[in-house]
Amino acid sequence: MLFLGLTGSIATGKSTVSSILASAPYNLPVIDADKIARQVVEPGTYGYRQILTNFAASTPDLLVPPTSENGGENGLQGRGRALNRPALGRRVFGEGGEADRKTLNGIVHPAVRREMYKQMLWAYLRGHWAVILDVPLLFESGWEPLCGTILVVAVKDPAVQMKRLRARDEHLTQEDAENRVKAQWDVRDKADRCLSRGKGKGTVVWNDGGKEDLRRQVDQVMLEAKASSPQWWAYLLLLLPPIAALSGAVNYLQGWWMKKEWERRKTQEKAKL
Ligand SMILES: CC(C)(COP(=O)(O)OP(=O)(O)OC[C@H]1O[C@@H](n2cnc3c(N)ncnc32)[C@H](O)[C@@H]1O)[C@@H](O)C(=O)NCCC(=O)NCCS
Ligand SMILES: Nc1ncnc2c1ncn2[C@@H]1O[C@H](COP(=O)(O)OP(=O)(O)OP(=O)(O)O)[C@@H](O)[C@H]1O
């Protein structure tokens, strides 16, 4: 089974690609890190309580205002009011800076990781030929070695990214939007890093054009991916778990090596400057 990592930067088109892959003719399972990141901080969860402990005192608007629809002061079923995500976003991408973002990541990422492993196991047990790992911070948070292949959805023109982000998330000011873009690696660097993995291991789709153009590129990528990881291979791995474990380990080592090689090259380039 192929773990296909899907990444990019904010608003470059990951969700658009994942919805293509989740629907016919692909019908692939998508493990969506953003979606899981929301679930693990719902009222009543450990993540929610940790966020309150760390941010409530210094963020007066951390929770949504109470209304009769959202259960009032104590939220639905008394579990507490939901997080006010735009306010927390302003805090960790804006005034609170990197330190606050690290604190939030430290709360959310381990829980996301655990849930993703569960979903990956479930996808393996269902015999899918591939599963999509839709992870915005795939390179930044060390998911790269797990992926058999990586697809970066990128744009060449930063103005296109900004325009789409502002159009989709109307509540963001220009400054908020810029802060969110800056909180991740530049998407063109992610594209370079992905391509450095070599043919069959890393591909980039450029999404400056229309959605039809994006779809055509995705179809081409999937044609190649399917040829290198056929359905019979997924069934074989399901029948022979030791082979699955061995293949996973080899794949992980290859990914780890590619990551190290990239880091070594970057260090060398920096030293030359
Ligand atoms: C700060 C929060 C509450 C803002 O919520 P909001 O609903 O406004 O944004 P949403 O979660 O839909 O994220 C939108 C995009 O922002 C980017 N983003 C989110 N978190 C981060 C982060 N910690 N660092 C850099 N970029 C991020 C991603 O590209 C993501 O697709 C939320 O983003 C969050 O909890 N982030 C921490 C968890 C995380 O890292 N999620 C990313 C996947 S693991
Ligand atoms: N080729 C395109 N042409 C026009 N609009 C597009 C194109 N691709 C994506 N969009 C739009 O741009 C916005 C951002 O796309 P999308 O939500 O897929 O990005 P994303 O990378 O998943 O963002 P995030 O990191 O925030 O989850 C959406 O409103 C989407 O409909």
Side-chain angles (χ1 to χ4, degrees):
M1 185 181 69
L2 177 69
F3 288 131
L4 198 164
L6 174 63
T7 192
S9 183
I10 186 163
T12 57
K14 296 175 299 296
S15 306
T16 308
V17 171
S18 75
S19 57
I20 294 175
L21 298 177
S23 49
Y26 302 111
N27 300 316
L28 289 171
V30 175
I31 302 179
D32 180 338
D34 273 343
K35 189 170 154 198
I36 299 173
R38 278 182 214 117
Q39 290 164 350
V40 298
V41 298
E42 274 171 10
T45 59
Y46 176 73
Y48 174 81
R49 288 193 295 277
Q50 287 294 302
I51 289 176
L52 258 53
T53 306
N54 284 275
F55 294 101
S58 52
T59 317
D61 54 352
L62 183 64
L63 302 179
V64 294
T67 63
S68 49
E69 287 86 49
N70 69 18
E73 199 56 48
N74 296 319
L76 295 169
Q77 295 154 345
R79 290 191 181 146
R81 278 180 278 144
L83 295 173
N84 178 355
R85 298 180 67 85
L88 184 55
R90 275 191 296 280
R91 175 78 196 264
V92 302
F93 296 118
E95 68 241 33
E98 212 178 327
D100 278 348
R101 197 159 62 247
K102 270 196 178 150
T103 305
L104 180 65
N105 289 348
I107 297 168
V108 180
H109 289 185
V112 170
R113 213 172 270 272
R114 277 193 297 277
E115 180 58 30
M116 284 184 72
Y117 284 133
K118 274 194 227 158
Q119 294 191 17
M120 284 155 80
L121 179 64
W122 181 231
Y124 159 70
L125 291 175
R126 283 183 296 162
H128 287 287
W129 72 270
V131 57
I132 312 301
L133 307 180
D134 179 350
V135 190
L137 307 177
L138 186 130
F139 291 111
E140 293 92 328
S141 6
W143 278 92
E144 185 187 349
L146 267 176
C147 303
T149 188
I150 296 179
L151 172 58
V152 168
V153 189
V155 288
K156 289 190 173 133
D157 181 357
V160 171
Q161 180 182 11
M162 189 52 70
K163 195 170 145 220
R164 289 185 185 155
L165 175 57
R166 297 284 316 273
R168 189 195 59 186
D169 296 346
E170 285 173 340
H171 63 280
L172 298 180
T173 63
Q174 177 73 17
E175 191 190 357
D176 288 341
E178 280 167 8
N179 286 338
R180 288 197 177 212
V181 171
K182 277 191 257 163
Q184 294 185 19
W185 294 0
D186 188 295
V187 73
R188 287 149 292 267
D189 290 339
K190 292 189 187 185
D192 277 353
R193 174 140 173 189
C194 181
L195 290 175
S196 79
R197 291 169 58 94
K199 197 167 161 44
K201 291 279 177 192
T203 322
V204 177
V205 293
W206 292 104
N207 188 24
D208 296 77
K211 287 189 180 173
E212 277 311 305
D213 178 37
L214 178 66
R215 167 133 219 154
R216 265 192 302 278
Q217 295 183 65
V218 171
D219 287 342
Q220 185 56 37
V221 170
M222 293 314 284
L223 208 64
E224 288 162 22
K226 185 82 198 256
S228 69
S229 188
Q231 182 65 64
W232 64 260
W233 176 242
Y235 288 143
L236 186 76
L237 295 183
L238 191 57
L239 283 173
L240 302 169
I243 302 284
L246 186 66
S247 149
V250 169
N251 182 61
Y252 188 89
L253 280 176
Q254 276 179 339
W256 179 83
W257 181 251
M258 287 184 276
K259 181 170 178 272
K260 286 283 152 209
E261 269 300 291
W262 168 266
E263 286 164 358
R264 192 185 55 78
R265 257 183 41 210
K266 284 283 143 186
T267 315
Q268 269 179 355
E269 278 169 24
K270 267 197 196 139
K272 276 188 200 150
L273 290 176

